[in-house]
């Protein structure tokens, strides 16, 4: 009896066509994130958003079970690259995703090219990243998109003389350059450009210098997670009392930590693609579901990059009928949809994100601090691509 059963199973296995066996393979997504160390908040936000997307949209695409493999790269580029290689070779992932910082995405780009594996950048935001491999797609944002917007807003709002302060790596360099070029074009003056170390910066000596220079405003880029320390020292050094305004890209008033910043953050004007208070029904639903699933944690722009990245992956898997490599990549290009951030699309030529950039001001709403959007620049392409 048992023997007959075994023989039947073996026969059934042999009769299974190759395509049917393949269809049963899981569709694996390798999500590589900083889950520990100074940038762990980025990893936490993106993983939570990816899991929420799966909970809402099911764990099957194109007849294949979706398997999310989350790996901690500790924000070290050599580790990101090694993990990516292992995921491609051993786990046969169809997609590499995540990438919490620019150097991590750049280090991994050659793996995507060599293995023809689509790589979805959900966080990193230096303009040039999408040019590092034809297999890279981005769902986060670019610093030039945000920097140019605030450089247009500032001179029309009494800010003519600025000191810039940026983190000394890719996105900071973009934030500095694209702000300066546009601000000067608008007849503004950047009297000093300061760069602080990317890891564990001590802002104090830099802020003292800013105080002495007495600009109309300090323009800042620091990566997600670092804004609270900057804001605290800005107040401690008395820059706000000295009448120096604080402006920047939305990374400094990151929704993840904004509420804990206190009164010093109130009135800070920034430009960005996402605010947790973006007033659309879709965003309200997204924020509610995210908070419910994560002990009240507020989603930030990193979470949205992760959520939309999963959308792009799912829809591409469906459209390509479970395809991999170039077929999967091509189905990611040109996707257009409503994100919690507002309308967005993936430019088929540049593979980069196109979306609205909002000018926002920190305000207290029902006792909570939020970035309240008050002006919209529509369908902003990455200005870094027009070189
Ligand atoms: C980046 O490394 O590209 C990066 C990190 C954090 C941000 C923005 C950009 O908030």
């Amino acid at each position: 009896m048992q023997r007959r059963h075994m023989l039947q199973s073996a026969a059934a296995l042999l009769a299974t066509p190759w395509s049917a066996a393949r269809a049963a393979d899981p569709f694996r997504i390798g999500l590589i994130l900083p889950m520990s160390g100074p940038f762990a908040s980025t990893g936490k936000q993106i993983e939570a958003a990816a899991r929420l997307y799966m909970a809402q949209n099911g764990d099957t695409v194109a007849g294949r079970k979706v398997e999310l493999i989350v790996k901690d790269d500790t924000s070290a580029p050599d580790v990101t690259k090694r993990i990516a290689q292992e995921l491609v070779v051993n786990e046969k992932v169809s997609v590499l995703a995540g990438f919490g910082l620019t150097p991590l995405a750049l280090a991994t780009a050659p793996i995507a090219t060599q293995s023809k594996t689509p790589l979805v950048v959900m966080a990193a935001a230096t303009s040039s990243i999408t040019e590092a491999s034809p297999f890279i797609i981005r769902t986060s944002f670019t610093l030039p998109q945000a920097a140019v917007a605030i450089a247009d807003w500032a001179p029309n709002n009494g800010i003519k003389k600025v000191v810039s302060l940026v983190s000394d790596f890719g996105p900071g360099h973009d934030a500095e350059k694209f702000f300066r070029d546009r601000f000067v074009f608008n007849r503004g003056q950047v009297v000093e450009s300061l760069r602080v170390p990317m890891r564990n910066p001590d802002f104090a000596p830099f802020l003292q210098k800013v105080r002495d220079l007495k600009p109309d405003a300090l323009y800042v880029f620091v990566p997600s997670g670092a804004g609270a320390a900057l804001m605290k020292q800005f107040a401690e050094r008395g820059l706000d009392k000295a009448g120096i305004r604080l402006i920047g890209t939305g990374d400094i008033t990151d929704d993840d930590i904004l509420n804990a910043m206190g009164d010093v953050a109130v009135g800070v004007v920034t430009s960005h693609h996402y605010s947790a208070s973006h007033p659309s029904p879709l965003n309200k639903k997204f924020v509610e579901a995210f908070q419910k699933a994560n002990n009240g944690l507020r989603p930030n722009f990193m979470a949205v990059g992760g959520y939309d990245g999963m959308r792009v992956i799912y829809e591409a898997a469906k459209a390509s009928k479970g395809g991999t490599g170039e077929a999967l990549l091509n189905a990611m290009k040109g996707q257009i949809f409503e994100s919690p951030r507002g309308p967005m699309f993936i430019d088929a030529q540049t593979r980069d994100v196109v979306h609205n950039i909002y000018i926002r001001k920190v305000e207290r709403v029902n006792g909570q601090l939020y970035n309240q959007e008050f002006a919209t620049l529509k369908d902003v392409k990455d200005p870094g691509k027009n070189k």
Side-chain angles (χ1 to χ4, degrees):
M1 180 68 194
Q2 220 182 18
R3 198 179 126 79
R4 206 176 77 203
H5 187 74
M6 267 172 62
L7 282 174
Q8 273 175 351
S9 310
L13 205 69
L14 283 173
T16 306
W18 167 239
S19 60
R22 260 194 64 90
D25 281 351
F27 179 83
R28 296 196 179 94
I29 303 168
L31 187 60
I32 316 176
L33 294 166
M35 300 302 299
S36 57
F39 301 101
S41 63
T42 295
K44 185 177 179 184
Q45 286 272 350
I46 293 178
E47 182 185 1
R51 295 208 186 279
L52 175 64
Y53 189 89
M54 291 179 70
Q56 292 174 333
N57 293 276
D59 60 358
T60 309
V61 275
R64 294 168 70 184
K65 185 144 175 79
V66 180
E67 218 176 273
L68 189 70
I69 306 175
V70 181
K71 297 279 184 191
D72 178 11
D73 63 12
T74 70
S75 76
D78 53 327
V79 179
T80 318
K81 185 177 181 184
R82 178 174 49 72
I83 292 173
Q85 195 146 20
E86 284 167 10
L87 287 172
V88 167
V89 174
N90 302 336
E91 307 285 348
K92 311 266 182 295
V93 296
S94 296
V95 189
L96 293 164
F99 306 96
L101 295 165
T102 289
L104 313 179
L106 291 178
T108 312
I111 305 284
T113 308
Q114 285 153 22
S115 66
K116 298 191 188 298
T117 307
L119 186 162
V120 179
V121 175
M122 296 170 159
T126 301
S127 172
S128 63
I129 289 174
T130 43
E131 288 154 50
S133 165
F135 281 84
I136 292 181
I137 294 270
R138 172 156 39 201
T139 60
S140 48
F141 74 109
T142 80
L143 261 308
Q145 288 174 328
V148 165
I150 193 80
D152 277 340
W153 178 85
N156 292 325
N157 290 276
I159 297 169
K160 307 282 185 208
K161 196 174 127 184
V162 161
V163 173
S164 71
L165 184 153
V166 302
S167 256
D168 192 4
F169 73 122
H173 300 166
D174 272 3
E176 179 188 276
K177 179 188 179 338
F178 283 84
F179 177 85
R180 189 210 299 122
D181 289 357
R182 187 64 155 246
F183 192 63
V184 168
F185 174 82
N186 288 333
R187 300 179 192 283
Q189 196 191 354
V190 178
V191 289
E192 183 86 53
S193 299
L194 305 171
R195 292 181 176 186
V196 300
M198 174 193 160
R199 288 174 195 274
N200 308 314
D202 175 11
F203 296 113
F206 297 98
L207 293 177
Q208 190 54 50
K209 188 151 192 199
V210 177
R211 216 196 136 135
D212 297 341
L213 288 162
K214 290 198 184 58
D216 298 326
L218 173 64
Y219 160 78
V220 176
F221 165 79
V222 289
S224 177
L230 181 278
M231 201 75 79
K232 187 163 171 274
Q233 292 189 23
F234 184 85
E236 277 170 9
R237 298 262 138 192
L239 273 76
D240 52 344
K241 303 272 177 332
I244 300 169
R245 291 164 76 184
L246 183 59
I247 58 171
T249 60
D251 310 73
I252 43 166
T253 54
D254 183 350
D255 270 301
D256 197 17
I257 46 177
L258 176 61
N259 221 4
M261 290 183 193
D263 281 339
V264 60
V266 173
V268 171
V269 175
T270 57
S271 52
H272 230 204
H273 57 293
Y274 181 67
S275 164
S277 72
H278 178 65
S280 71
L282 182 75
N283 183 51
K284 285 203 175 85
K285 264 173 51 189
F286 168 70
V287 173
E288 246 176 60
F290 188 95
Q291 294 199 302
K292 195 162 169 230
N294 296 284
N295 285 322
L297 178 69
R298 193 193 285 184
N300 69 359
F301 60 97
M302 294 300 186
V304 157
Y307 191 76
D308 293 335
M310 289 297 283
R311 192 269 182 205
V312 167
I313 295 167
Y314 263 56
E315 291 303 318
K318 283 187 213 164
S320 65
K321 303 197 167 44
T324 54
E326 238 150 327
L328 186 61
L329 176 81
N330 287 336
M332 293 179 177
K333 295 178 186 173
Q335 281 194 32
I336 174 163
F337 56 99
E338 189 191 353
S339 149
R341 74 187 80 182
M344 73 178 262
F345 69 93
I346 304 296
D347 185 316
Q349 255 71 52
T350 63
R351 292 165 278 101
D352 220 335
V353 56
V354 180
H355 51 191
N356 296 343
I357 295 291
Y358 307 91
I359 311 292
R360 317 93 49 85
K361 184 188 232 163
V362 177
E363 287 171 12
R364 232 175 243 292
V365 183
N366 301 327
Q368 312 266 313
L369 295 181
Y370 279 102
N371 293 295
Q372 294 295 95
E373 296 167 350
F374 65 86
T376 305
L377 290 107
K378 285 202 178 301
D379 302 332
V380 179
K381 285 192 172 203
D382 174 30
K385 300 294 187 296
N386 306 327
K387 280 175 289 193

